[in-house]
Amino acid sequence: MAKKKQAKSMKATKAAKGADRDAPPDHVDRRRIVEELDTTMLVEAAAGTGKTTSMIARMVSLLREGKCQIDTLAAVTFTRKSTAEMRARFQIELERCAREESGPAKQRLVAAAAQLERCFIGTIHSLCARLLRERP
């Protein structure tokens, strides 16, 4: 019986190692972005490496777990093009997750999706301009 459990455990370990081998080299850091919601992070990486995907996943996780409300969530980018892309992708992911969740998490995501326009997603310049208008 013990040998059977040990063999099963070894298979699970090999499967996990195989999964890690197929994952990107920075998969641990990517997971931290989405899971460590009580930590403030700066994510720096080259173009096309998944920053937007990770950031959107983090934003949805923050809302799902009730760590913030949609009107207190902000995502700052450098270009208007990346702002438009992030806004569209965030809406799609938020709505998808709201459909798939259940219980209180679903309620939080549905509420956030209904008030999506209250979330700030914009360039650093638009954030600064907004702050100057709000606090002259």
Side-chain angles (χ1 to χ4, degrees), residues 1 11-12 40 44 49 58 89 112 115 130:
M1 184 81 158
K11 283 183 183 179
T40 301
E44 256 184 314
T49 56
R58 182 177 177 87
R89 289 174 56 185
Q115 299 178 354
R130 180 178 176 172

Side-chain angles (χ1 to χ4, degrees), residues 28-97:
V28 173
D29 294 325
R30 290 174 190 244
R31 197 171 352 169
R32 283 185 57 224
I33 292 168
V34 177
E35 294 174 359
E36 291 184 19
L37 301 177
D38 292 324
T39 303
T40 301
M41 294 182 188
L42 171 70
V43 177
E44 256 184 314
T49 56
K51 293 181 300 294
T52 301
T53 301
S54 294
M55 194 166 177
I56 289 169
R58 182 177 177 87
M59 292 164 65
V60 171
S61 291
L62 285 164
L63 294 166
R64 178 189 297 117
E65 300 301 320
K67 297 288 185 179
C68 72
Q69 302 293 315
I70 192 76
D71 59 344
T72 62
L73 188 62
V76 181
T77 67
F78 288 102
T79 67
R80 287 187 297 257
K81 182 180 177 185
S82 60
T83 294
E85 178 187 349
M86 181 175 286
R87 190 173 287 130
R89 289 174 56 185
F90 178 56
Q91 180 176 358
I92 290 165
E93 184 66 9
L94 183 59
E95 290 171 352
R96 184 189 68 76
C97 289

